[in-house]
Amino acid sequence: MASTRKIELADALALGPNWRHLCYVMLYAPNPGVLFGGHILLNYSVLMSMRFDGRLGFPGGFVDDNSPTLEEGLSKELLQKLGEGVSTFNIVSTDYRSSLIEITSKVVAHFYVKCLTLEQLQAVEAGAPLAKDHGLEVLGLVRVPLYTLQDGVGGLPAFLDNSFIGVAREQLLEALQDLGILAPGTVSDLKGRIVQLKQTLKLIRSRAERT
Protein backbone atom coordinates (compact mmCIF):
# COMPACT_ATOMS: atom_id res chain seq x y z
CA MET A 1 0.00 0.00 0.00
CA ALA A 2 1.60 3.18 -1.25
CA SER A 3 0.45 5.74 1.33
CA THR A 4 -1.47 4.78 4.43
CA ARG A 5 -2.75 6.19 7.68
CA LYS A 6 -4.26 4.61 10.75
CA ILE A 7 -8.01 4.46 11.16
CA GLU A 8 -10.21 3.34 14.04
CA LEU A 9 -11.96 0.03 13.48
CA ALA A 10 -15.45 1.50 13.92
CA ASP A 11 -14.71 4.14 11.29
CA ALA A 12 -13.31 1.51 8.94
CA LEU A 13 -16.42 -0.66 9.27
CA ALA A 14 -18.60 2.37 8.52
CA LEU A 15 -17.04 2.92 5.10
CA GLY A 16 -19.21 2.36 2.05
CA PRO A 17 -19.56 -0.73 -0.15
CA ASN A 18 -16.90 0.48 -2.58
CA TRP A 19 -14.20 -0.25 -0.01
CA ARG A 20 -12.37 -3.57 0.23
CA HIS A 21 -11.22 -5.03 3.55
CA LEU A 22 -7.89 -6.86 3.71
CA CYS A 23 -7.22 -8.94 6.84
CA TYR A 24 -3.98 -10.64 7.86
CA VAL A 25 -2.54 -12.11 11.04
CA MET A 26 0.74 -12.68 12.83
CA LEU A 27 0.69 -16.20 14.26
CA TYR A 28 3.09 -16.85 17.11
CA ALA A 29 3.68 -19.33 19.90
CA PRO A 30 5.93 -19.74 22.95
CA ASN A 31 8.85 -22.00 22.09
CA PRO A 32 11.18 -23.46 24.76
CA GLY A 33 13.70 -24.61 22.14
CA VAL A 34 17.38 -23.65 22.06
CA LEU A 35 20.15 -23.31 19.46
CA PHE A 36 23.81 -24.26 19.67
CA GLY A 37 23.59 -26.21 22.90
CA GLY A 38 21.59 -23.56 24.72
CA HIS A 39 23.63 -20.50 23.77
CA ILE A 40 20.55 -19.03 22.07
CA LEU A 41 17.07 -19.34 23.58
CA LEU A 42 14.28 -19.30 21.00
CA ASN A 43 11.53 -18.23 23.47
CA TYR A 44 8.96 -17.74 20.70
CA SER A 45 8.22 -18.76 17.12
CA VAL A 46 6.61 -16.25 14.74
CA LEU A 47 5.29 -17.15 11.29
CA MET A 48 5.42 -15.08 8.12
CA SER A 49 4.79 -16.14 4.53
CA MET A 50 6.72 -15.83 1.30
CA ARG A 51 4.31 -14.28 -1.17
CA PHE A 52 3.93 -14.84 -4.91
CA ASP A 53 5.70 -11.51 -5.55
CA GLY A 54 8.82 -12.54 -3.64
CA ARG A 55 8.02 -10.35 -0.63
CA LEU A 56 7.49 -11.41 2.96
CA GLY A 57 4.14 -10.73 4.61
CA PHE A 58 1.57 -12.07 7.02
CA PRO A 59 -0.96 -14.69 5.88
CA GLY A 60 -4.44 -13.46 5.04
CA GLY A 61 -6.37 -11.90 2.19
CA PHE A 62 -9.38 -9.87 1.12
CA VAL A 63 -12.58 -10.59 3.02
CA ASP A 64 -15.58 -11.35 0.83
CA ASP A 65 -18.87 -9.53 1.33
CA ASN A 66 -20.62 -12.71 2.48
CA SER A 67 -18.55 -12.96 5.67
CA PRO A 68 -20.56 -11.71 8.69
CA THR A 69 -17.39 -10.46 10.45
CA LEU A 70 -13.82 -9.63 9.57
CA GLU A 71 -12.65 -12.48 11.78
CA GLU A 72 -14.74 -15.08 9.95
CA GLY A 73 -13.56 -13.70 6.63
CA LEU A 74 -9.95 -13.91 7.75
CA SER A 75 -10.47 -17.49 8.95
CA LYS A 76 -11.73 -18.44 5.47
CA GLU A 77 -8.68 -16.87 3.87
CA LEU A 78 -6.34 -18.66 6.26
CA LEU A 79 -7.94 -22.00 5.40
CA GLN A 80 -7.31 -21.33 1.72
CA LYS A 81 -3.78 -19.97 2.22
CA LEU A 82 -2.54 -22.26 5.02
CA GLY A 83 -4.71 -25.36 4.91
CA GLU A 84 -6.47 -27.49 7.51
CA GLY A 85 -3.92 -26.74 10.24
CA VAL A 86 -5.79 -23.51 11.00
CA SER A 87 -8.86 -25.49 12.09
CA THR A 88 -7.28 -25.95 15.54
CA PHE A 89 -7.92 -22.31 16.48
CA ASN A 90 -10.28 -19.39 15.83
CA ILE A 91 -9.51 -15.77 15.05
CA VAL A 92 -11.62 -13.65 17.43
CA SER A 93 -12.23 -9.94 17.89
CA THR A 94 -9.76 -9.71 20.77
CA ASP A 95 -6.97 -10.72 18.37
CA TYR A 96 -7.50 -7.47 16.44
CA ARG A 97 -4.62 -5.00 16.61
CA SER A 98 -4.90 -2.10 14.16
CA SER A 99 -6.25 -0.85 10.82
CA LEU A 100 -4.68 1.16 8.01
CA ILE A 101 -6.54 2.96 5.22
CA GLU A 102 -5.31 3.57 1.68
CA ILE A 103 -7.61 6.13 0.07
CA THR A 104 -6.39 5.86 -3.53
CA SER A 105 -7.05 2.12 -3.82
CA LYS A 106 -10.00 2.18 -1.38
CA VAL A 107 -8.50 -0.61 0.72
CA VAL A 108 -8.56 -0.95 4.51
CA ALA A 109 -6.00 -3.37 5.96
CA HIS A 110 -6.74 -4.96 9.34
CA PHE A 111 -3.90 -6.51 11.34
CA TYR A 112 -4.46 -9.31 13.86
CA VAL A 113 -2.09 -11.07 16.25
CA LYS A 114 -2.90 -14.60 17.44
CA CYS A 115 -1.10 -16.57 20.14
CA LEU A 116 -1.07 -20.32 19.54
CA THR A 117 0.45 -23.27 21.29
CA LEU A 118 3.62 -24.58 19.68
CA GLU A 119 1.70 -27.71 18.64
CA GLN A 120 -0.90 -25.57 16.85
CA LEU A 121 1.80 -23.58 15.08
CA GLN A 122 3.52 -26.77 13.98
CA ALA A 123 0.20 -28.09 12.67
CA VAL A 124 -0.14 -24.95 10.52
CA GLU A 125 3.38 -25.48 9.15
CA ALA A 126 2.72 -29.14 8.44
CA GLY A 127 -0.58 -28.47 6.64
CA ALA A 128 0.51 -25.44 4.62
CA PRO A 129 1.96 -27.42 1.65
CA LEU A 130 -1.48 -29.00 1.16
CA ALA A 131 -3.35 -25.67 1.12
CA LYS A 132 -5.25 -24.60 -1.98
CA ASP A 133 -3.02 -21.57 -2.57
CA HIS A 134 0.30 -23.22 -1.77
CA GLY A 135 2.72 -22.68 -4.64
CA LEU A 136 0.42 -20.00 -6.06
CA GLU A 137 -0.28 -16.97 -3.86
CA VAL A 138 1.74 -18.45 -0.99
CA LEU A 139 5.16 -19.94 -1.74
CA GLY A 140 5.86 -21.12 1.81
CA LEU A 141 6.01 -20.24 5.49
CA VAL A 142 9.08 -19.03 7.37
CA ARG A 143 9.85 -18.58 11.04
CA VAL A 144 11.24 -15.20 12.04
CA PRO A 145 14.64 -15.46 13.79
CA LEU A 146 14.06 -13.47 16.98
CA TYR A 147 17.71 -13.36 18.05
CA THR A 148 20.84 -11.52 16.94
CA LEU A 149 24.08 -13.43 16.50
CA GLN A 150 27.40 -12.24 17.89
CA ASP A 151 28.37 -10.58 14.61
CA GLY A 152 25.44 -8.17 15.07
CA VAL A 153 24.04 -9.05 11.65
CA GLY A 154 22.93 -12.66 11.64
CA GLY A 155 19.45 -13.50 12.85
CA LEU A 156 16.74 -10.84 13.01
CA PRO A 157 18.83 -7.95 11.56
CA ALA A 158 19.61 -10.00 8.45
CA PHE A 159 16.00 -11.16 8.20
CA LEU A 160 14.78 -7.55 8.20
CA ASP A 161 16.96 -6.82 5.16
CA ASN A 162 14.51 -8.86 3.06
CA SER A 163 11.77 -7.23 1.00
CA PHE A 164 8.44 -6.94 2.84
CA ILE A 165 4.99 -6.07 1.54
CA GLY A 166 3.57 -2.74 2.68
CA VAL A 167 4.25 -2.02 6.35
CA ALA A 168 4.61 -5.68 7.38
CA ARG A 169 8.19 -5.15 8.60
CA GLU A 170 7.18 -2.25 10.85
CA GLN A 171 4.11 -4.09 12.12
CA LEU A 172 6.26 -7.11 12.96
CA LEU A 173 8.64 -5.05 15.08
CA GLU A 174 5.88 -3.12 16.84
CA ALA A 175 4.01 -6.32 17.69
CA LEU A 176 7.18 -7.97 19.01
CA GLN A 177 7.79 -4.96 21.23
CA ASP A 178 4.22 -4.70 22.52
CA LEU A 179 4.11 -8.42 23.30
CA GLY A 180 7.36 -8.14 25.25
CA ILE A 181 9.11 -10.57 22.90
CA LEU A 182 11.70 -7.90 22.09
CA ALA A 183 12.86 -5.09 24.37
CA PRO A 184 12.01 -1.51 23.29
CA GLY A 185 15.72 -0.68 22.94
CA THR A 186 16.24 -3.59 20.59
CA VAL A 187 13.28 -2.54 18.44
CA SER A 188 14.52 1.05 18.34
CA ASP A 189 17.94 -0.08 17.09
CA LEU A 190 16.37 -2.31 14.45
CA LYS A 191 14.09 0.49 13.25
CA GLY A 192 17.19 2.67 12.81
CA ARG A 193 18.68 -0.07 10.67
CA ILE A 194 15.52 -0.16 8.55
CA VAL A 195 15.71 3.60 7.95
CA GLN A 196 19.31 3.23 6.77
CA LEU A 197 18.33 0.33 4.52
CA LYS A 198 15.53 2.32 2.89
CA GLN A 199 17.85 5.28 2.32
CA THR A 200 20.41 2.99 0.68
CA LEU A 201 17.78 1.42 -1.58
CA LYS A 202 16.47 4.85 -2.54
CA LEU A 203 20.00 5.96 -3.46
CA ILE A 204 20.54 2.81 -5.55
CA ARG A 205 17.27 3.36 -7.44
CA SER A 206 18.12 7.02 -8.03
CA ARG A 207 21.51 6.11 -9.50
CA ALA A 208 19.95 3.39 -11.65
CA GLU A 209 17.43 5.86 -13.09
CA ARG A 210 20.22 8.25 -14.07
CA THR A 211 22.18 5.59 -15.98
Side-chain angles (χ1 to χ4, degrees):
M1 301 172 74
S3 57
T4 60
R5 62 176 176 84
K6 287 189 175 183
I7 184 174
E8 294 296 323
L9 179 58
D11 294 331
L13 295 176
L15 293 170
N18 293 328
W19 288 81
R20 295 188 299 164
H21 293 266
L22 173 66
C23 294
Y24 48 94
V25 61
M26 184 183 96
L27 301 174
Y28 77 102
N31 186 345
V34 297
L35 286 178
F36 310 127
H39 291 289
I40 294 178
L41 305 179
L42 297 182
N43 295 319
Y44 288 89
S45 290
V46 174
L47 291 184
M48 296 193 77
S49 60
M50 176 62 73
R51 294 161 39 93
F52 63 93
D53 56 8
R55 295 181 174 92
L56 291 167
F58 295 107
F62 284 101
V63 174
D64 63 60
D65 296 334
N66 297 323
S67 297
T69 65
L70 293 177
E71 292 78 28
E72 290 186 48
L74 174 55
S75 295
K76 291 180 182 178
E77 283 299 312
L78 291 180
L79 181 62
Q80 184 166 310
K81 300 291 193 306
L82 302 182
E84 294 293 338
V86 303
S87 61
T88 63
F89 61 88
N90 294 313
I91 303 295
V92 296
S93 59
T94 51
D95 298 322
Y96 168 80
R97 179 175 172 82
S98 62
S99 297
L100 294 172
I101 186 172
E102 213 294 305
I103 296 176
T104 303
S105 59
K106 290 188 177 298
V107 171
V108 188
H110 307 282
F111 182 39
Y112 289 76
V113 174
K114 181 70 177 182
C115 183
L116 307 177
T117 65
L118 185 58
E119 291 74 21
Q120 288 174 318
L121 185 139
Q122 291 169 336
V124 172
E125 292 176 315
L130 302 177
K132 180 180 179 181
D133 282 344
H134 181 77
L136 301 171
E137 291 187 34
V138 180
L139 301 183
L141 293 176
V142 296
R143 292 194 188 190
V144 180
L146 300 175
Y147 46 82
T148 300
L149 299 182
Q150 290 183 349
D151 62 3
V153 177
L156 185 54
F159 181 82
L160 295 174
D161 282 348
N162 286 291
S163 179
F164 291 75
I165 186 67
V167 295
R169 179 165 34 204
E170 290 78 6
Q171 288 179 323
L172 169 66
L173 286 178
E174 290 174 4
L176 293 178
Q177 176 179 301
D178 292 347
L179 293 168
I181 295 175
L182 291 181
T186 300
V187 172
S188 179
D189 291 342
L190 291 169
K191 285 183 176 180
R193 179 186 177 91
I194 291 171
V195 171
Q196 292 178 346
L197 174 62
K198 289 183 175 180
Q199 290 174 341
T200 301
L201 292 175
K202 184 177 180 180
L203 180 60
I204 292 173
R205 293 192 189 101
S206 178
R207 288 177 177 175
E209 291 172 356
R210 293 198 298 265
T211 57

